[in-house]
Amino acid sequence: MNPSATLLLAGACVAGAVALQTLRLGRRAGPGVVLLAGFLALWMLGLFLLEQRTGELADRVLPLGMLLAAAFTQAATDVVGRAPRGLLPLAWLGSLAIALLGLLAPRLLYGPGASGAGPLFAPLAGVCIVGTAAMLAWLFHLARGAQGRERRRRLALLGANVTGALGGGGLIGLHVLGVRLIGGGVLFLALSLSLVAYAAWAPEEAREREGLIQVAVQGASVSALMALGAGALSLALGTGPLWGYALLGAALALPVDAARQLLGEAVTRRLFARPQTVPLLVEAVEQQTSRAEHAETLAEVGRLASAVAHEIRNPLGVILAEAKLLELSGADAESVQALREQVARASRFVDDLLQYSRPRPLRLAEEDLARVVGEAAGRARRAFGEGAPEVTLALDALRWDVDGEALGDVVVNLVTNALIAVEHRPEPRVRVSQRREEGGVRIEVEDNGPGVPEAILPRLFEPFVTGRGRDAARPGTGLGLALCVKWARRQGGTLTHARPATGGARFVLFLPKP
């Protein structure tokens, strides 16, 4: 086997390993890199067969390399996030058509051994040149409109397409025309793959990039051992060249090791209830890190909220005292009452902010749920005074391990919202129900009010989102539902919203069995 063939076969093995390892890592950059590396391996294999003068087999495998053009387009689209309308499907359809044509009738493209142009070679080559030029123009335009790291990524894509075109269609075109440069194609193609990999992985955080480097080092270690083994075998058998055996041993080890890892993880996922594969472990580490960062942020918010509460409560106390003096001095009673209501509103907001940013620890105990929920619903209704709408209760007798005080606060919040929603309805209806379900208990608060405004539905449980503005008769702080859903999650449950068929709103609290 000559040096060119050795390099091509080694390059095909390396490209196959990149495809398998990228698939194993589950990168978020999209399928472009996996497809590109896979088709690159197929193209190099075709060039290897051509170099080995395998005749008909090489003639039929080579056209499959046209899929590289579509893979380049896919990789560019994955990295950039968009492509001109119709470009991606057009690239795939065109590449597939040419690949199938070459597979079924290679003589329409070139003669035996890819020598001499066939009847369709020139028109298809023209189409490919125009398509490649359009792709390069698009990438050049994108690179000009970017800055910093994003500009470097797009320039890398541009370079990858240039080197890929030279090592792909350009190389075989020259071969058909009688210029033999097959062995040198591996250098262009290897550079092309490296540039695409950089463009796909450059945005990853340092932790993810470090993981990629570690995987590369692991593969290189296995490869080095195989190179030593293949070299020792070459010496023992007295065959040569030694470098050729060592190179092939190293290259063949890469896809074999990556395939072994893929197979092992697939078996692990199927046989074990809690599989520990590399992508799942990476995801678990990312989630843990995210939770730690979130906890640190909440702690900072908690400290800030405490400071804000201290600075606000003192002036509020002074304002209330001044309101009392104004009342004693004969000031307008309605104005004094309005002042007190605004102070009370500010106090509620401070209390909600403190409770959201620095929640107290859960205190779980076996509670009578019907009593906790019923008392909370009654407390919410009494706050409305005389003439408050009726609240219908349908509560099953049930004991449950729960933080009774926190659950009561959630029910008070939900029932209060429901009472506000139906306060001016001609036939107000608020219903609170509780029943046991498979795996947990379900608590519902339903009303026949106007329902949650469509505009805030996607952000309903986020902090500071409310459907009652500051000019409403009973303005909201926007923290009530956020507090409720936060407590539900801490308990391991969920809080969801639904719109009943009869209108209004229904909030469903589900608590799983401890």
Side-chain angles (χ1 to χ4, degrees):
M1 187 161 52
N2 61 42
S4 294
T6 304
L7 286 172
L8 286 167
L9 185 56
C13 292
V14 173
V18 171
L20 290 170
Q21 202 63 268
T22 304
L23 184 64
R24 169 180 173 251
L25 289 171
R27 305 316 305 164
R28 293 183 292 271
V33 176
V34 177
L35 292 170
L36 180 60
F39 291 138
L40 191 57
L42 192 61
W43 174 250
M44 288 189 187
L45 182 60
L47 293 177
F48 166 77
L49 294 174
L50 182 63
E51 190 73 4
Q52 290 295 97
R53 303 183 186 281
T54 56
E56 188 73 15
L57 179 60
D59 292 343
R60 293 183 182 275
V61 172
L62 272 176
L64 297 178
M66 279 303 303
L67 296 172
L68 269 176
F72 273 120
T73 309
Q74 180 73 60
T77 303
D78 291 343
V79 170
V80 177
R82 65 184 188 277
R85 186 175 181 181
L87 176 62
L88 193 58
L90 184 62
W92 277 109
L93 288 174
S95 298
L96 281 169
I98 297 176
L100 288 175
L101 177 66
L103 182 65
L104 300 175
R107 295 297 165 260
L108 293 175
L109 299 178
Y110 40 67
S115 60
L120 296 182
F121 180 80
L124 290 178
V127 171
C128 292
I129 291 172
V130 171
T132 301
M135 182 75 174
L136 294 177
W138 171 55
L139 291 173
F140 181 74
H141 171 72
L142 290 175
R144 287 186 60 188
Q147 298 292 331
R149 184 170 62 180
E150 187 62 27
R151 182 184 179 90
R152 293 193 295 272
R153 292 178 69 208
R154 297 180 183 190
L155 285 174
L157 277 177
L158 181 62
N161 276 265
V162 171
T163 52
L166 292 174
L171 188 72
I172 198 63
L174 290 174
H175 185 86
V176 169
L177 297 176
V179 181
R180 306 291 192 262
L181 295 173
I182 294 297
V186 68
L187 302 177
F188 288 108
L189 297 172
L191 179 58
S192 178
L193 179 61
S194 300
L195 289 171
V196 171
Y198 167 78
W201 295 336
E204 298 288 352
E205 296 179 3
R207 185 173 59 253
E208 280 73 24
R209 287 200 298 270
E210 183 180 347
L212 290 169
I213 293 172
Q214 290 181 12
V215 169
V217 170
Q218 293 167 6
S221 302
V222 174
S223 179
L225 289 175
M226 287 294 291
L228 290 173
L233 181 63
S234 174
L235 285 175
L237 297 178
T239 58
L242 178 62
W243 70 269
Y245 276 85
L247 177 61
L248 285 178
L252 287 169
L254 294 176
V256 169
D257 186 58
R260 176 192 63 79
Q261 293 167 350
L262 268 175
L263 178 62
E265 291 176 356
V267 171
T268 300
R269 287 174 182 270
R270 184 167 293 275
L271 294 183
F272 294 93
R274 298 176 63 186
Q276 297 185 19
T277 64
V278 169
L280 292 178
L281 290 175
V282 169
E283 183 179 346
V285 170
E286 290 176 349
Q287 290 176 351
Q288 191 69 22
T289 303
S290 177
R291 283 195 292 268
E293 293 173 349
H294 183 61
E296 184 178 346
T297 301
L298 282 181
E300 183 65 28
V301 170
R303 290 189 290 270
L304 178 62
S306 296
V308 169
H310 177 74
E311 294 298 324
I312 290 179
R313 277 178 168 162
N314 287 340
L316 289 179
V318 174
I319 293 172
L320 278 178
E322 292 294 330
K324 182 66 175 176
L325 291 176
L326 287 173
E327 185 180 31
L328 293 175
S329 64
D332 180 62
E334 189 174 327
S335 298
V336 172
Q337 182 60 29
L339 185 63
R340 284 174 171 160
E341 288 176 356
Q342 292 302 313
V343 170
R345 177 189 170 196
S347 297
R348 285 197 303 273
F349 177 77
V350 170
D351 291 340
D352 286 349
L353 182 62
L354 282 174
Q355 191 176 357
Y356 182 79
S357 60
R358 304 185 69 175
R360 63 169 178 77
L362 286 176
R363 294 191 287 266
L364 300 179
E366 187 180 89
E367 298 278 2
D368 181 347
L369 283 190
R371 179 187 62 79
V372 172
V373 174
E375 288 181 356
R379 194 161 68 247
R381 184 173 182 273
R382 284 193 297 274
F384 274 72
E386 294 184 8
E390 290 293 332
V391 178
T392 304
L393 301 178
L395 310 175
D396 292 348
L398 180 64
R399 301 193 67 82
W400 205 263
D401 284 342
V402 72
D403 185 326
E405 183 181 343
L407 175 59
D409 290 342
V410 171
V411 174
V412 166
N413 213 316
L414 296 178
V415 173
T416 298
N417 287 347
L419 289 170
I420 293 174
V422 303
E423 190 172 16
H424 301 294
R425 290 273 165 171
E427 295 182 5
R429 186 177 71 253
V430 176
R431 185 176 185 273
V432 181
S433 63
Q434 167 209 297
R435 64 179 182 275
R436 184 161 189 165
E437 287 189 348
E438 183 178 356
V441 62
R442 179 186 180 98
I443 301 171
E444 292 185 2
V445 177
E446 183 176 333
D447 64 70
N448 65 339
V452 177
E454 292 287 344
I456 68 170
L457 270 179
R459 302 181 296 116
L460 180 59
F461 295 106
E462 294 179 10
F464 308 112
V465 174
T466 178
R468 303 195 304 272
R470 64 180 61 188
D471 298 327
R474 298 179 186 269
T477 64
L479 285 171
L481 287 178
L483 281 167
C484 292
V485 77
K486 189 173 184 178
W487 177 84
R489 289 169 180 166
R490 291 180 68 204
Q491 180 79 27
T494 59
L495 178 64
T496 56
H497 164 267
R499 194 183 300 276
T502 54
R506 178 192 298 131
F507 288 88
V508 180
L509 174 65
F510 180 79
L511 301 177
K513 186 175 182 180

